Structure formats: C-alpha cells, structure tokens
Amino acid sequence: MDRLASPERAPRVLPPRRLLALAVVLGVACALFVGTALAHSGSLGGSRQDLSVPQWLVLMTGGGAVGASFLLASFVTDRSFLRAVHDSERGLGSPVRPLVVIGRIGGVVGLVGVLVTGLFADPLGLTQPLRNLAVLVVWVGWWAGFSMTTYLVGDTWPVLNPWRTVASVLPSLDRSLPERVGSWPSVGLLLALVWLEVVSPVADDPTLLGAVVLAYTVFTVAGAAVFGTETWFSRVDPVSRVFAAYGRVAPLTVEDGRVRARVPGMALSEASWLSGRSDVAFVVALLWVTTYDGFVATPTWRGVVTPLVEAGVPAPLLYPLALVVGFVLFYGAYRLAARSGKRAADSLLTTDEVARRFAPSLLAIAAGYHVAHYLGYFLSLSPALLGALSNPFSPPPPLELVLPSWFGGVGLTFVLVGHVLAIWVAHTAAFELFPSRVQAIRSQYALTAVMVLYTMTSLLIVSQPAIEVPYL
Amino acid sequence: MSGSAEPTANDAVAVPEAGPFVCAHCGRPFAREAYLALHYGVDHDEPLDAERRAAFETAREEEEAALRQFRLKALLALVFTYFGFLMLWAVVNLLL
C-alpha cells in the first residue's frame, strides 16, 4: 500500500519550498541544540563564566526542542518527497567471503580469550579489572564499543557472534518454538541480563565475568542446538536481537547477500521486520534497559531508594522491582500513545498495528541515548583496552584518557539528535500508514508527548554526574 | 495490513447507514468516506474511475483546507515556543 497513484505525482508544494522547509527544520533544531549544549557545558565546567543554568531549564528546553521538531516536521506533507528521502539506497556489492571467515574466526578467538583471561584471572595474576582482557573486551570493547558500531555502521553480529559460529557446526534437534510464545523469551532474557549487569560485581570481577560468559555460552549453544540456530538467534537470544534492532538504525545493511547503503535512521519508517506485540515489547524493553542502566547510577535514584532502604526494604529486591516496574511503565505509556494516536486519527486499525508501525522510531532514541551513555566511557577506557589487547598476559599499567569538560554536552546533543530523528521517522511512518495527511499528523500528538517526556527523562539522567550504584 | 474493524466512538459520517467504508481492492475499512476516497488515490495503483476520481479530488481539497488551518496553528505554536523559551532563558539568566 506504499505505492503512489497519479494525483500525488504532481505535488502542490514546489521543490524550493520543500527544501526551504527542511532547512528551517534543521536550522531551528540546531539552534535549540546549541543552546542546550552550551547550557550544559556551562553548568559542568563552571569556570567558563558565572553562568550556571538550572537543570529544570535544560530539561524543559530539551523537551521543547523535541516538541518543536514535531511542529516543524508537520510542515513537510509531500508524500513523494518523504518517500524519496527514505527510500534512497544504493548497492555496494557483496561482502567478501574471506572477510566473513575472518570475522567468524575472530569472534570465536575473542570468546576463548575472554573465557581464559576471565576464568583463570587468579592463576594468571590478572585480577585488576583495568588490566584484565576479559573485563575490558566485554565491557569496553563489546558492550560499549561494538554496540555503537551496530547502529553507527551496521550489524555485523551475525558474522562475529561466536555462539552462532559454534552452534552452526553442531547438530540441531530443530524443535519448534510455539508461535504464541513469539519473542517474549528474549524480552525476559534482556531484562534479566541487564539486571545481572547492574546488581552483580560482574563488571569488576574477572573470574565472575568468566563464569557468567561460560554459563551464557552453555545456555546459548544448548538452546541453539535444541531449537535450531535461526530460531534461537532471531527469536530468543537477547544479544543478537539487540544488535539486529540497532542495525535497523545503521547506514549499512545486508539484503540477499549484498551490502546496501542508506541514509542513517531512514529505514526505521518501515516496520515489516516486527511482528506482533512481543517484538514491540522487545523494542520498548531495549529502550528501557538502556535508560535503567544509567538511571541507577544517578543521585536521583539514590534519593528514591535511600528512604526505602532505611525503612527496611531489602536493596537487592528494589533493583529487579524497579526494572520491571519501569518496563511496564514504558510499555504502558507507549501503548497508550498508540491507542490515543489511533483515536485521534479516527482510524479503524487495531492498537497493536499502530503500535507496531511506530515502534522502530524508538530505536533512534535508544541509539542516541546509548551514544550519550557510552561514548565517554568507551573513549576514556580505550587506551586500557588497547594495552590489554597488545599484551593480554602482562598488560602495561592502564592509561585513562581524560575527556575535556565540554564533553558532557556531546551526550546531551546525541540524546536530542536521537529524539528528533525519531520524530521525523514516526512522521514518515504515519504518512505511509494513513491515507489522509491530517490523520497522519493527528496520530502523532500522543506519541510526540511521550517522546517529549522521554527526552526529559533521558536528559535528567545524562545531565547528572554518574555515581556508584547505591546499596549493592 | 490487518483488516479488523473495531467499533469507533466517532460517527462523523454523512451516510445514514453509517458502516465503515471498505476498500474494494484490499478490504481495509475506514471510518470516513473521505479516508476511503484518499486511500484509493494514494495507496493503490489501479486507475480511478470518474466517480472515485471526483471523490478523491473533493477529499483532497478538504484535506488541503484542513492542512492549511493546521499549519497556521503549528506556526503559531512554534512562535510561542521559540519566544517563550527565549524569554525564559533571558529571565533565568537575569535572575541568576
């Protein structure tokens, strides 16, 4: 239903005006970004001048920028223009076979390296986290660095994934996973994985990390052997699914064995790769866990839990509780927005369908927030990672890159860029979904409100100093 | 496209026997006749007959009028947002 009939081919809006509209969108958005970024560097650095901007103003301005970008996007109502922006793609040839083989071998070698330096950290004398290859490769190289490449470049995980490589050479029972299970297991596993990452000392204890990676290896290879690699890695394995979802944001993709390039983020207006409620829940879960990860390390969270812990609530219970409650809140807010959008557009589509069509836009937000959260971490620890990689068994003393004080503003900028991209993508998806352009615009009111609230939540986290996760 | 028709609260339909309007090509239901008319023109490649073309053009004109009105409101909201924030920042900087 995405084709175009003749009446649309003679657009009423002239090309120069379209360009002007886009230029205005970008210009105002940039002006607002710069304002916010400066505000943040002012409050972080302090020494620049005596201009300290209160946090509420930073949050409001961020929310305002996202709201304003909805208004600006609503001026772009030419379907053929929207389609031209989103469908521009070009083929880049096939990936070279030797490169795939090298990637597979590299993935397996990496896994073995992590297992050896993790499990045998004590006998090898590698217990210091910043000199341990397993800790640095898993958290700095993979969780932060590699994740960033999946949405900034392309999802290379199906090749690198060592568990897929191992499972693919093992025999499989090919049991079928019932259809009604959908991809709910991956939602649960993703939440469980992030809970483990936050509450356990797995980030600092190489031996424990090695044990967790080993357990994950056994679990994943066994699961893939029972259900078949395709089913397992596309419906159950949370890690593969996270990277596949992030890969939808990326400029590079593989289709029928050929690499294709597209404008970053523009493929998010298309939702055919999501089927049903569980896939939507997974996207929302991905957005939530990225937030949760940052949220538990803020003074705000400490302020929330301190009275509860003092009242006798056990802290280990609060963390999974907050994880589940937050997920339910995020999912509920998103569904409510979809339902309200459907009503505002006077559409007969089901709420599920509307929720599915707009879910990919949330990935732009998740990716923007991920950069904000991890770029500084990755850059400051990358010298230590290089040190450990250059000499895994006797690494040099770890070096840490000291980032300039304005770097905090970079995070805020990425949060906003992600949200503005999400607004634009949802705008395009609405134009493809609804025959009336007025319907398309109305369907976005509630979603925009949710995104504005979400921007403010993200900014609240990113604009605070990261503290030690309390009471663990 | 799921063809499930849910009852809607909004019955702003001119036809007395106001049932949902169903697309003859793909079976997608619509709450309003104008949406169906636009759907034929926008989403399907099949050539429009005279009746559907006339309906499409009428719906299109009404849509344009509604869009023009919306753009005015959006422009107003933008101006308020922009200057609102400008004032807010000025006042905050003055007080701090």
Side-chain angles (χ1 to χ4, degrees):
Chain A
M1 58 157 273
D2 296 338
R3 285 170 310 279
L4 197 68
S6 49
E8 274 290 320
R9 289 211 187 97
R12 299 181 62 130
V13 189
L14 296 166
R17 275 172 62 192
R18 283 188 238 153
L19 290 177
L20 187 72
L22 198 68
V24 170
V25 172
L26 293 175
V28 175
C30 285
L32 289 165
F33 292 160
V34 171
T36 321
L38 287 178
H40 188 70
S41 63
S43 63
L44 254 193
S47 57
R48 283 160 53 96
Q49 46 177 300
D50 270 343
L51 171 88
S52 144
V53 178
Q55 194 182 34
W56 62 264
L57 188 57
V58 173
L59 302 192
M60 267 188 74
T61 310
V66 172
S69 51
F70 159 71
L71 292 172
L72 286 165
S74 72
F75 282 93
V76 186
T77 53
D78 185 341
R79 286 175 198 273
S80 48
F81 173 69
L82 287 175
R83 200 155 300 141
V85 171
H86 281 255
D87 289 355
S88 61
E89 255 197 11
R90 84 179 31 203
L92 294 178
S94 311
V96 196
R97 183 72 203 159
L99 215 59
V100 172
V101 175
I102 291 171
R104 293 223 163 98
I105 295 173
V108 175
V109 169
L111 176 64
V112 172
V114 165
L115 284 173
V116 169
T117 51
L119 289 171
F120 304 110
D122 281 330
L124 291 171
L126 297 168
T127 47
Q128 200 188 333
L130 283 184
R131 294 178 73 173
N132 182 283
L133 184 74
V135 169
L136 290 166
V137 163
V138 169
W139 300 117
V140 182
W142 179 75
W143 191 246
F146 177 76
S147 296
M148 281 191 261
T149 69
T150 60
Y151 51 80
L152 294 176
V153 184
D155 177 23
T156 50
W157 188 241
V159 171
L160 286 174
N161 187 348
W163 299 297
R164 185 190 274 265
T165 309
V166 171
S168 63
V169 296
L170 294 177
S172 165
L173 297 175
D174 277 325
R175 292 275 174 82
S176 67
L177 197 62
E179 216 36 61
R180 65 191 160 76
V181 172
S183 55
W184 286 112
S186 66
V187 178
L189 286 170
L190 178 65
L191 293 177
L193 214 61
V194 170
W195 169 72
L196 188 75
E197 184 232 324
V198 167
V199 302
S200 75
V202 74
D204 301 319
D205 183 341
T207 316
L208 182 65
L209 177 66
V212 169
V213 174
L214 183 65
Y216 193 81
T217 304
V218 172
F219 174 72
T220 305
V221 172
V226 172
F227 295 104
T229 44
E230 267 324 299
T231 309
W232 186 263
F233 291 107
S234 65
R235 281 174 63 194
V236 184
D237 184 45
V239 171
S240 298
R241 284 179 57 84
V242 165
F243 292 144
Y246 274 151
R248 304 293 309 183
V249 187
L252 294 184
T253 178
V254 176
E255 258 171 52
D256 307 322
R258 292 179 63 80
V259 180
R260 302 192 68 83
R262 58 196 178 198
V263 184
M266 292 301 119
L268 294 175
S269 62
E270 201 257 328
S272 59
W273 55 285
L274 294 173
S275 60
R277 215 175 267 189
S278 57
D279 282 355
V280 173
F282 186 82
V283 171
V284 176
L286 173 56
L287 182 64
W288 163 239
V289 295
T290 322
T291 318
Y292 175 79
D293 203 18
F295 178 59
V296 292
T298 57
T300 307
W301 168 249
R302 189 173 49 193
V304 171
V305 289
T306 303
L308 289 171
V309 170
E310 278 166 5
V313 184
L317 194 71
L318 280 173
Y319 282 86
L321 194 70
L323 184 67
V324 172
V325 167
F327 170 64
V328 170
L329 277 179
F330 265 47
Y331 184 68
Y334 179 67
R335 257 199 88 83
L336 214 63
R339 192 187 162 86
S340 156
K342 161 199 141 83
R343 292 229 171 113
D346 197 9
S347 165
L348 297 183
L349 296 170
T350 56
T351 305
D352 277 328
E353 175 65 8
V354 175
R356 188 181 73 82
R357 292 296 282 253
F358 295 118
S361 63
L362 300 177
L363 291 168
I365 301 178
Y369 184 77
H370 191 275
V371 185
H373 191 54
Y374 284 109
L375 185 61
Y377 172 79
F378 174 72
L379 289 178
S380 63
L381 291 178
S382 51
L385 173 66
L386 288 177
L389 280 173
S390 66
N391 195 351
F393 296 108
S394 127
L399 292 171
E400 201 164 323
L401 201 68
V402 178
L403 297 169
S405 61
W406 52 261
F407 199 80
V410 174
L412 292 187
T413 310
F414 274 110
V415 165
L416 280 174
V417 169
H419 280 86
V420 171
L421 192 60
I423 293 270
W424 174 262
V425 166
H427 174 75
T428 307
F431 270 64
E432 299 210 340
L433 186 57
F434 299 111
S436 156
R437 294 177 289 175
V438 179
Q439 256 188 315
I441 290 172
R442 286 198 181 133
S443 72
Q444 298 302 294
Y445 292 165
L447 199 61
T448 305
V450 168
M451 285 185 187
V452 166
L453 279 179
Y454 191 70
T455 315
M456 297 170 77
T457 314
S458 309
L459 290 178
L460 179 73
I461 296 169
V462 176
S463 66
Q464 289 183 51
I467 58 162
E468 195 74 4
V469 179
Y471 301 110
L472 283 176
Chain B
M1 194 57 49
S2 69
S4 50
E6 285 183 15
T8 46
N10 194 326
D11 267 333
V13 178
V15 192
E17 59 274 21
F21 303 90
V22 179
C23 172
H25 301 305
C26 66
R28 181 174 166 184
F30 292 93
R32 298 185 195 174
E33 199 171 10
Y35 295 166
L36 177 61
L38 288 168
H39 169 74
Y40 279 130
V42 173
D43 294 331
H44 286 292
D45 276 341
E46 287 84 353
L48 303 174
D49 60 26
E51 192 187 335
R52 281 186 188 160
R53 173 160 293 276
F56 175 80
E57 259 143 37
T58 315
R60 184 87 178 171
E61 270 164 36
E62 282 166 10
E63 187 197 32
E64 277 295 337
L67 271 181
R68 264 196 298 276
Q69 209 174 34
F70 174 82
R71 285 192 188 118
L72 270 178
K73 286 182 196 159
L75 192 64
L76 210 66
L78 267 177
V79 169
F80 274 115
T81 314
Y82 184 78
F83 286 102
F85 274 109
L86 206 63
M87 297 296 172
L88 196 62
W89 276 79
V91 169
V92 167
N93 275 333
L94 213 65
L95 294 179
L96 288 177

mmCIF file of all heavy atoms in Angstrom, chain B residues 49-82:
data_model
loop_
_atom_site.group_PDB
_atom_site.id
_atom_site.type_symbol
_atom_site.label_atom_id
_atom_site.label_comp_id
_atom_site.label_asym_id
_atom_site.label_seq_id
_atom_site.Cartn_x
_atom_site.Cartn_y
_atom_site.Cartn_z
ATOM 1 N N ASP B 49 -11.790 5.393 -11.495
ATOM 2 C CA ASP B 49 -12.861 5.734 -12.430
ATOM 3 C C ASP B 49 -13.359 7.146 -12.109
ATOM 4 O O ASP B 49 -12.905 7.762 -11.139
ATOM 5 C CB ASP B 49 -13.992 4.692 -12.382
ATOM 6 C CG ASP B 49 -14.619 4.578 -11.008
ATOM 7 O OD1 ASP B 49 -14.567 5.581 -10.253
ATOM 8 O OD2 ASP B 49 -15.148 3.509 -10.667
ATOM 9 N N ALA B 50 -14.263 7.644 -12.938
ATOM 10 C CA ALA B 50 -14.663 9.051 -12.816
ATOM 11 C C ALA B 50 -15.228 9.363 -11.427
ATOM 12 O O ALA B 50 -14.906 10.392 -10.822
ATOM 13 C CB ALA B 50 -15.698 9.376 -13.892
ATOM 14 N N GLU B 51 -16.032 8.443 -10.915
ATOM 15 C CA GLU B 51 -16.675 8.690 -9.628
ATOM 16 C C GLU B 51 -15.632 8.761 -8.507
ATOM 17 O O GLU B 51 -15.629 9.686 -7.691
ATOM 18 C CB GLU B 51 -17.656 7.544 -9.370
ATOM 19 C CG GLU B 51 -18.596 7.812 -8.207
ATOM 20 C CD GLU B 51 -19.417 6.566 -7.894
ATOM 21 O OE1 GLU B 51 -19.612 5.722 -8.809
ATOM 22 O OE2 GLU B 51 -19.822 6.423 -6.732
ATOM 23 N N ARG B 52 -14.704 7.782 -8.521
ATOM 24 C CA ARG B 52 -13.679 7.759 -7.474
ATOM 25 C C ARG B 52 -12.723 8.936 -7.597
ATOM 26 O O ARG B 52 -12.244 9.464 -6.602
ATOM 27 C CB ARG B 52 -12.905 6.445 -7.534
ATOM 28 C CG ARG B 52 -13.692 5.323 -6.878
ATOM 29 C CD ARG B 52 -12.898 4.060 -6.793
ATOM 30 N NE ARG B 52 -13.748 2.974 -6.329
ATOM 31 C CZ ARG B 52 -13.501 1.696 -6.489
ATOM 32 N NH1 ARG B 52 -12.395 1.319 -7.110
ATOM 33 N NH2 ARG B 52 -14.315 0.782 -6.031
ATOM 34 N N ARG B 53 -12.456 9.334 -8.858
ATOM 35 C CA ARG B 53 -11.556 10.475 -9.034
ATOM 36 C C ARG B 53 -12.189 11.743 -8.473
ATOM 37 O O ARG B 53 -11.526 12.526 -7.777
ATOM 38 C CB ARG B 53 -11.218 10.651 -10.527
ATOM 39 C CG ARG B 53 -10.433 11.914 -10.838
ATOM 40 C CD ARG B 53 -9.712 11.811 -12.162
ATOM 41 N NE ARG B 53 -8.642 10.819 -12.147
ATOM 42 C CZ ARG B 53 -7.410 11.076 -11.691
ATOM 43 N NH1 ARG B 53 -7.108 12.264 -11.222
ATOM 44 N NH2 ARG B 53 -6.489 10.138 -11.712
ATOM 45 N N ALA B 54 -13.499 11.902 -8.755
ATOM 46 C CA ALA B 54 -14.199 13.084 -8.233
ATOM 47 C C ALA B 54 -14.187 13.062 -6.709
ATOM 48 O O ALA B 54 -13.904 14.076 -6.053
ATOM 49 C CB ALA B 54 -15.628 13.105 -8.757
ATOM 50 N N ALA B 55 -14.452 11.869 -6.129
ATOM 51 C CA ALA B 55 -14.455 11.748 -4.668
ATOM 52 C C ALA B 55 -13.070 12.048 -4.116
ATOM 53 O O ALA B 55 -12.919 12.734 -3.102
ATOM 54 C CB ALA B 55 -14.894 10.339 -4.267
ATOM 55 N N PHE B 56 -12.046 11.551 -4.819
ATOM 56 C CA PHE B 56 -10.673 11.792 -4.377
ATOM 57 C C PHE B 56 -10.371 13.272 -4.374
ATOM 58 O O PHE B 56 -9.803 13.808 -3.422
ATOM 59 C CB PHE B 56 -9.687 11.050 -5.302
ATOM 60 C CG PHE B 56 -8.243 11.334 -4.988
ATOM 61 C CD1 PHE B 56 -7.611 10.691 -3.935
ATOM 62 C CD2 PHE B 56 -7.521 12.260 -5.736
ATOM 63 C CE1 PHE B 56 -6.284 10.960 -3.642
ATOM 64 C CE2 PHE B 56 -6.202 12.537 -5.441
ATOM 65 C CZ PHE B 56 -5.583 11.878 -4.397
ATOM 66 N N GLU B 57 -10.775 13.939 -5.477
ATOM 67 C CA GLU B 57 -10.440 15.355 -5.562
ATOM 68 C C GLU B 57 -11.157 16.189 -4.513
ATOM 69 O O GLU B 57 -10.568 17.104 -3.932
ATOM 70 C CB GLU B 57 -10.684 15.875 -6.979
ATOM 71 C CG GLU B 57 -9.360 15.959 -7.714
ATOM 72 C CD GLU B 57 -9.401 15.604 -9.168
ATOM 73 O OE1 GLU B 57 -10.396 15.937 -9.824
ATOM 74 O OE2 GLU B 57 -8.415 14.999 -9.639
ATOM 75 N N THR B 58 -12.402 15.849 -4.249
ATOM 76 C CA THR B 58 -13.128 16.563 -3.192
ATOM 77 C C THR B 58 -12.435 16.350 -1.838
ATOM 78 O O THR B 58 -12.180 17.304 -1.089
ATOM 79 C CB THR B 58 -14.580 16.034 -3.090
ATOM 80 O OG1 THR B 58 -15.104 15.921 -4.402
ATOM 81 C CG2 THR B 58 -15.436 16.936 -2.245
ATOM 82 N N ALA B 59 -12.134 15.084 -1.552
ATOM 83 C CA ALA B 59 -11.496 14.767 -0.282
ATOM 84 C C ALA B 59 -10.149 15.473 -0.168
ATOM 85 O O ALA B 59 -9.756 15.964 0.887
ATOM 86 C CB ALA B 59 -11.302 13.254 -0.156
ATOM 87 N N ARG B 60 -9.465 15.534 -1.297
ATOM 88 C CA ARG B 60 -8.148 16.155 -1.348
ATOM 89 C C ARG B 60 -8.245 17.646 -1.030
ATOM 90 O O ARG B 60 -7.413 18.199 -0.304
ATOM 91 C CB ARG B 60 -7.597 15.940 -2.761
ATOM 92 C CG ARG B 60 -6.221 16.419 -2.964
ATOM 93 C CD ARG B 60 -5.263 15.357 -2.587
ATOM 94 N NE ARG B 60 -3.919 15.815 -2.841
ATOM 95 C CZ ARG B 60 -2.857 15.185 -2.460
ATOM 96 N NH1 ARG B 60 -2.964 14.068 -1.787
ATOM 97 N NH2 ARG B 60 -1.672 15.662 -2.713
ATOM 98 N N GLU B 61 -9.280 18.289 -1.580
ATOM 99 C CA GLU B 61 -9.448 19.722 -1.327
ATOM 100 C C GLU B 61 -9.745 19.989 0.140
ATOM 101 O O GLU B 61 -9.196 20.912 0.737
ATOM 102 C CB GLU B 61 -10.566 20.283 -2.201
ATOM 103 C CG GLU B 61 -10.059 20.786 -3.548
ATOM 104 C CD GLU B 61 -11.182 20.968 -4.550
ATOM 105 O OE1 GLU B 61 -12.284 21.367 -4.128
ATOM 106 O OE2 GLU B 61 -10.957 20.697 -5.746
ATOM 107 N N GLU B 62 -10.628 19.142 0.680
ATOM 108 C CA GLU B 62 -10.945 19.315 2.105
ATOM 109 C C GLU B 62 -9.704 19.086 2.963
ATOM 110 O O GLU B 62 -9.461 19.789 3.950
ATOM 111 C CB GLU B 62 -12.040 18.316 2.518
ATOM 112 C CG GLU B 62 -13.415 18.760 2.068
ATOM 113 C CD GLU B 62 -14.429 17.645 2.173
ATOM 114 O OE1 GLU B 62 -14.107 16.596 2.770
ATOM 115 O OE2 GLU B 62 -15.543 17.812 1.636
ATOM 116 N N GLU B 63 -8.905 18.095 2.559
ATOM 117 C CA GLU B 63 -7.674 17.797 3.290
ATOM 118 C C GLU B 63 -6.734 18.993 3.243
ATOM 119 O O GLU B 63 -6.143 19.379 4.269
ATOM 120 C CB GLU B 63 -7.021 16.566 2.643
ATOM 121 C CG GLU B 63 -5.820 16.038 3.402
ATOM 122 C CD GLU B 63 -4.978 15.113 2.529
ATOM 123 O OE1 GLU B 63 -4.909 15.310 1.303
ATOM 124 O OE2 GLU B 63 -4.379 14.183 3.083
ATOM 125 N N GLU B 64 -6.620 19.600 2.045
ATOM 126 C CA GLU B 64 -5.745 20.765 1.904
ATOM 127 C C GLU B 64 -6.193 21.899 2.809
ATOM 128 O O GLU B 64 -5.368 22.544 3.459
ATOM 129 C CB GLU B 64 -5.731 21.254 0.445
ATOM 130 C CG GLU B 64 -4.779 20.524 -0.466
ATOM 131 C CD GLU B 64 -3.303 20.712 -0.084
ATOM 132 O OE1 GLU B 64 -2.989 21.720 0.575
ATOM 133 O OE2 GLU B 64 -2.494 19.845 -0.438
ATOM 134 N N ALA B 65 -7.504 22.100 2.854
ATOM 135 C CA ALA B 65 -8.035 23.186 3.684
ATOM 136 C C ALA B 65 -7.705 22.925 5.153
ATOM 137 O O ALA B 65 -7.250 23.818 5.877
ATOM 138 C CB ALA B 65 -9.544 23.294 3.482
ATOM 139 N N ALA B 66 -7.903 21.666 5.581
ATOM 140 C CA ALA B 66 -7.613 21.323 6.974
ATOM 141 C C ALA B 66 -6.130 21.468 7.258
ATOM 142 O O ALA B 66 -5.726 21.924 8.339
ATOM 143 C CB ALA B 66 -8.067 19.894 7.254
ATOM 144 N N LEU B 67 -5.299 21.099 6.262
ATOM 145 C CA LEU B 67 -3.850 21.212 6.454
ATOM 146 C C LEU B 67 -3.426 22.659 6.592
ATOM 147 O O LEU B 67 -2.574 22.990 7.427
ATOM 148 C CB LEU B 67 -3.116 20.594 5.263
ATOM 149 C CG LEU B 67 -2.782 19.108 5.339
ATOM 150 C CD1 LEU B 67 -2.046 18.687 4.077
ATOM 151 C CD2 LEU B 67 -1.933 18.806 6.552
ATOM 152 N N ARG B 68 -4.043 23.520 5.749
ATOM 153 C CA ARG B 68 -3.694 24.948 5.819
ATOM 154 C C ARG B 68 -3.999 25.489 7.203
ATOM 155 O O ARG B 68 -3.194 26.212 7.793
ATOM 156 C CB ARG B 68 -4.471 25.732 4.762
ATOM 157 C CG ARG B 68 -3.681 25.956 3.492
ATOM 158 C CD ARG B 68 -4.314 27.048 2.655
ATOM 159 N NE ARG B 68 -5.666 26.701 2.235
ATOM 160 C CZ ARG B 68 -5.936 25.942 1.149
ATOM 161 N NH1 ARG B 68 -4.943 25.482 0.405
ATOM 162 N NH2 ARG B 68 -7.166 25.680 0.809
ATOM 163 N N GLN B 69 -5.142 25.082 7.725
ATOM 164 C CA GLN B 69 -5.532 25.544 9.058
ATOM 165 C C GLN B 69 -4.548 25.026 10.108
ATOM 166 O O GLN B 69 -4.115 25.755 11.002
ATOM 167 C CB GLN B 69 -6.928 25.024 9.352
ATOM 168 C CG GLN B 69 -7.690 25.927 10.272
ATOM 169 C CD GLN B 69 -9.121 25.434 10.406
ATOM 170 O OE1 GLN B 69 -9.381 24.223 10.377
ATOM 171 N NE2 GLN B 69 -10.052 26.348 10.554
ATOM 172 N N PHE B 70 -4.176 23.750 9.944
ATOM 173 C CA PHE B 70 -3.240 23.168 10.897
ATOM 174 C C PHE B 70 -1.894 23.893 10.851
ATOM 175 O O PHE B 70 -1.288 24.173 11.883
ATOM 176 C CB PHE B 70 -3.030 21.675 10.615
ATOM 177 C CG PHE B 70 -1.960 21.085 11.486
ATOM 178 C CD1 PHE B 70 -2.251 20.692 12.780
ATOM 179 C CD2 PHE B 70 -0.652 20.969 11.028
ATOM 180 C CE1 PHE B 70 -1.257 20.188 13.597
ATOM 181 C CE2 PHE B 70 0.338 20.473 11.849
ATOM 182 C CZ PHE B 70 0.037 20.075 13.135
ATOM 183 N N ARG B 71 -1.443 24.223 9.633
ATOM 184 C CA ARG B 71 -0.139 24.877 9.503
ATOM 185 C C ARG B 71 -0.126 26.216 10.216
ATOM 186 O O ARG B 71 0.874 26.577 10.858
ATOM 187 C CB ARG B 71 0.203 25.075 8.027
ATOM 188 C CG ARG B 71 0.628 23.798 7.364
ATOM 189 C CD ARG B 71 1.238 24.050 5.999
ATOM 190 N NE ARG B 71 1.447 22.787 5.329
ATOM 191 C CZ ARG B 71 0.867 22.444 4.181
ATOM 192 N NH1 ARG B 71 0.044 23.286 3.582
ATOM 193 N NH2 ARG B 71 1.107 21.270 3.639
ATOM 194 N N LEU B 72 -1.231 26.923 10.116
ATOM 195 C CA LEU B 72 -1.315 28.212 10.809
ATOM 196 C C LEU B 72 -1.160 28.026 12.310
ATOM 197 O O LEU B 72 -0.399 28.730 12.970
ATOM 198 C CB LEU B 72 -2.667 28.874 10.512
ATOM 199 C CG LEU B 72 -2.693 29.777 9.293
ATOM 200 C CD1 LEU B 72 -4.103 30.330 9.092
ATOM 201 C CD2 LEU B 72 -1.713 30.934 9.471
ATOM 202 N N LYS B 73 -1.893 27.027 12.829
ATOM 203 C CA LYS B 73 -1.822 26.765 14.275
ATOM 204 C C LYS B 73 -0.418 26.325 14.673
ATOM 205 O O LYS B 73 0.116 26.738 15.704
ATOM 206 C CB LYS B 73 -2.826 25.680 14.657
ATOM 207 C CG LYS B 73 -4.259 26.138 14.658
ATOM 208 C CD LYS B 73 -5.148 24.999 15.092
ATOM 209 C CE LYS B 73 -6.612 25.272 14.749
ATOM 210 N NZ LYS B 73 -7.392 24.037 14.703
ATOM 211 N N ALA B 74 0.183 25.478 13.820
ATOM 212 C CA ALA B 74 1.522 24.992 14.135
ATOM 213 C C ALA B 74 2.523 26.136 14.141
ATOM 214 O O ALA B 74 3.405 26.209 15.002
ATOM 215 C CB ALA B 74 1.948 23.927 13.121
ATOM 216 N N LEU B 75 2.352 27.050 13.178
ATOM 217 C CA LEU B 75 3.251 28.193 13.112
ATOM 218 C C LEU B 75 3.130 29.035 14.382
ATOM 219 O O LEU B 75 4.124 29.451 14.980
ATOM 220 C CB LEU B 75 2.907 29.032 11.877
ATOM 221 C CG LEU B 75 3.926 30.083 11.500
ATOM 222 C CD1 LEU B 75 5.229 29.419 11.105
ATOM 223 C CD2 LEU B 75 3.417 30.942 10.350
ATOM 224 N N LEU B 76 1.894 29.230 14.784
ATOM 225 C CA LEU B 76 1.632 30.000 15.995
ATOM 226 C C LEU B 76 2.285 29.325 17.205
ATOM 227 O O LEU B 76 2.967 29.970 18.021
ATOM 228 C CB LEU B 76 0.116 30.081 16.197
ATOM 229 C CG LEU B 76 -0.394 31.318 16.900
ATOM 230 C CD1 LEU B 76 -0.135 32.546 16.041
ATOM 231 C CD2 LEU B 76 -1.893 31.181 17.184
ATOM 232 N N ALA B 77 2.114 28.012 17.296
ATOM 233 C CA ALA B 77 2.685 27.259 18.408
ATOM 234 C C ALA B 77 4.207 27.357 18.394
ATOM 235 O O ALA B 77 4.845 27.506 19.439
ATOM 236 C CB ALA B 77 2.255 25.795 18.327
ATOM 237 N N LEU B 78 4.789 27.322 17.182
ATOM 238 C CA LEU B 78 6.247 27.436 17.073
ATOM 239 C C LEU B 78 6.739 28.781 17.561
ATOM 240 O O LEU B 78 7.725 28.873 18.294
ATOM 241 C CB LEU B 78 6.668 27.263 15.615
ATOM 242 C CG LEU B 78 7.047 25.864 15.174
ATOM 243 C CD1 LEU B 78 7.372 25.868 13.692
ATOM 244 C CD2 LEU B 78 8.255 25.389 15.963
ATOM 245 N N VAL B 79 6.015 29.824 17.120
ATOM 246 C CA VAL B 79 6.413 31.173 17.525
ATOM 247 C C VAL B 79 6.352 31.292 19.048
ATOM 248 O O VAL B 79 7.293 31.783 19.688
ATOM 249 C CB VAL B 79 5.506 32.225 16.844
ATOM 250 C CG1 VAL B 79 5.722 33.590 17.453
ATOM 251 C CG2 VAL B 79 5.773 32.261 15.350
ATOM 252 N N PHE B 80 5.275 30.788 19.626
ATOM 253 C CA PHE B 80 5.144 30.840 21.089
ATOM 254 C C PHE B 80 6.250 30.041 21.769
ATOM 255 O O PHE B 80 6.850 30.489 22.751
ATOM 256 C CB PHE B 80 3.770 30.325 21.526
ATOM 257 C CG PHE B 80 2.717 31.386 21.512
ATOM 258 C CD1 PHE B 80 1.638 31.316 20.652
ATOM 259 C CD2 PHE B 80 2.827 32.485 22.368
ATOM 260 C CE1 PHE B 80 0.674 32.306 20.624
ATOM 261 C CE2 PHE B 80 1.861 33.490 22.345
ATOM 262 C CZ PHE B 80 0.784 33.406 21.474
ATOM 263 N N THR B 81 6.528 28.847 21.235
ATOM 264 C CA THR B 81 7.573 28.019 21.839
ATOM 265 C C THR B 81 8.913 28.742 21.782
ATOM 266 O O THR B 81 9.625 28.852 22.775
ATOM 267 C CB THR B 81 7.692 26.677 21.084
ATOM 268 O OG1 THR B 81 6.394 26.159 20.894
ATOM 269 C CG2 THR B 81 8.529 25.687 21.844
ATOM 270 N N TYR B 82 9.235 29.239 20.582
ATOM 271 C CA TYR B 82 10.542 29.856 20.399
ATOM 272 C C TYR B 82 10.712 31.074 21.301
ATOM 273 O O TYR B 82 11.663 31.160 22.075
ATOM 274 C CB TYR B 82 10.734 30.242 18.925
ATOM 275 C CG TYR B 82 12.097 30.796 18.659
ATOM 276 C CD1 TYR B 82 13.186 29.940 18.552
ATOM 277 C CD2 TYR B 82 12.317 32.162 18.572
ATOM 278 C CE1 TYR B 82 14.464 30.432 18.354
ATOM 279 C CE2 TYR B 82 13.584 32.668 18.365
ATOM 280 C CZ TYR B 82 14.650 31.800 18.258
ATOM 281 O OH TYR B 82 15.905 32.294 18.064
#
